[in-house]
Amino acid sequence: IAAAGSQIKADLLLNNNSVTPAESIETSAVLTGSALNRFAVTTDGYYRSTDNTVVWNKNTGGGLAQLDPGDKTSLSFNFPILDMASLISAGITNPTMTIDATVKGQTVTGSNASDFSAKDSKTIKVSSELSLDAKLTYYDGPFQNRGPIPPQADTETFYTITLRIANAVNNASNVSVTGRLPLYARFLGVVSPQTENVVFNQLGGMIVWNVGRVSALAGFSGPAREVSFQIAVLPSVTHIGSSPLVIENIKAIGDDDFTGEKLNSGVYDLTTDLRADSRAKYSDGTVVK
C-alpha cells in the first residue's frame, strides 16, 4: 500500500539455487496499472517505454553473464506513483500498480544446456485521502442567527458551523467528524440537512458527525458531504479584545474500503473570526464590552 505521489523502489533478487552455473540470463519487469507514472521510471537496466517494461541482460551488467551455484545478484528500478491531483483529474478510482517480473536463461553442465524460467508478481494499492473543511458564519448558511455582532461580553450570539468532507480515489466507510466546544459555547440541536446524524455529548462538549460512507471522488466529480449546525457562544469579559475559540480539535477519521487503511484529516480550530462569512467585516469577530 502506498500514498499517491510516493516514490517506489523495486529490487529483483536473483539466486541460483541449482548445482550448475546459469548463463544467458534475461530478466524483465512489466509495469501496469492506473497509478503508474510512466514518464519517470529510472533503472540500472533499460526501460522500454513502448510497453512499459524494464529489461536486463548480460549487456546491462548486474552479473547476468553467468551466475554460479549459490551466487546472488540484485537488479533495481524506481518509479513514482501518480500524485493525487493527477489521479483525481483523470477520474481514477481504486488505483493500482502491478509489477510482473520474469527471469529466464540456461543452466549448463558440460555440453548440456537446460532452459529455466521463474516468475513473481507484486501489486501496490494506492490509499485514498479525506479532505476536511470547517467554517464559522453568522450571516451565511441555512439558519437565522441572532445576537450582537461583533460579539458582546455577557451576551449570547448564535453562529453557524459548517463542516464539509471530500474523499479522493477509493470509497470510504465508517467516516466520522468530531470537534469539542468550550464551556461558554452550547449546541442548539439544529442541523441542516436534517438527514445528517450529528450528536452532542453535554458532559465532554464533544460534537460527533456520523458521516458513514463517503464515495470515491466525492467533492471532485461528485458532491461532497456537508452539514451545518447552530451553536450559541456566551463570551466573558476576559474575552474582550479577542476572538475566542468556538470549536477545537476538529478531526475526520474513516476506513479506506480498497486498501483497508485508516484515513484521517484535520483542520484548524474555529474562533469567532468571521472571515469565511461573505457579509461580515474584519472586526466582526472581536469581542466588545
Side-chain angles (χ1 to χ4, degrees), residues 27-264:
T27 305
S28 64
V30 180
L31 312 181
T32 57
S34 57
L36 173 65
N37 182 352
R38 62 185 298 269
F39 295 99
V41 178
T42 59
T43 178
D44 55 5
Y46 166 65
Y47 175 51
R48 193 172 62 209
S49 58
T50 54
D51 58 359
N52 297 326
T53 301
V54 184
V55 293
W56 299 262
N57 58 29
K58 63 181 180 180
N59 297 319
T60 61
L64 298 187
Q66 179 172 308
L67 203 62
D68 291 327
D71 283 355
K72 301 177 182 180
T73 190
S74 63
L75 311 169
S76 65
F77 61 97
N78 299 269
F79 60 91
I81 299 294
L82 286 172
D83 60 50
M84 192 60 81
S86 298
L87 292 170
I88 290 171
S89 65
I92 295 171
T93 58
N94 297 343
T96 59
M97 169 69 219
T98 298
I99 306 166
D100 291 306
T102 302
V103 59
K104 61 182 179 179
Q106 293 181 327
T107 54
V108 181
T109 305
S111 59
N112 297 320
S114 300
D115 294 336
F116 70 85
S117 65
K119 296 181 179 181
D120 197 10
S121 180
K122 299 292 182 186
T123 297
I124 299 166
K125 294 181 176 182
V126 180
S127 290
S128 192
E129 292 179 3
L130 295 176
S131 179
L132 179 64
D133 182 60
K135 65 180 180 179
L136 182 85
T137 57
Y138 180 84
Y139 302 103
D140 295 342
F143 308 123
Q144 185 70 42
N145 292 308
R146 60 180 175 83
I149 291 293
Q152 185 176 338
D154 298 329
T155 305
E156 203 169 54
T157 297
F158 288 10
Y159 293 96
T160 298
I161 291 176
T162 299
L163 303 175
R164 180 182 185 274
I165 191 160
N167 182 27
V169 291
N170 308 325
N171 290 336
S173 58
N174 303 316
V175 178
S176 64
V177 180
T178 58
R180 188 180 301 276
L181 299 183
L183 291 174
Y184 49 86
R186 63 190 181 97
F187 178 65
L188 297 177
V190 183
V191 177
S192 178
Q194 295 180 354
T195 52
E196 293 293 343
N197 182 355
V198 178
V199 296
F200 178 64
N201 184 337
Q202 185 71 45
L203 185 61
M206 184 69 73
I207 288 177
V208 181
W209 176 25
N210 295 302
V211 187
R213 185 178 183 274
V214 182
S215 299
L217 302 179
F220 300 100
S221 62
R225 292 288 297 277
E226 186 172 292
V227 70
S228 296
F229 53 88
Q230 204 172 30
I231 65 166
V233 177
L234 180 62
S236 165
V237 294
T238 61
H239 293 131
I240 293 173
S242 68
S243 298
L245 180 76
V246 297
I247 186 169
E248 62 181 341
N249 297 330
I250 311 168
K251 299 176 182 178
I253 60 171
D255 298 323
D256 188 317
D257 290 349
F258 183 55
T259 66
E261 292 281 283
K262 290 291 183 182
L263 303 175
N264 60 78

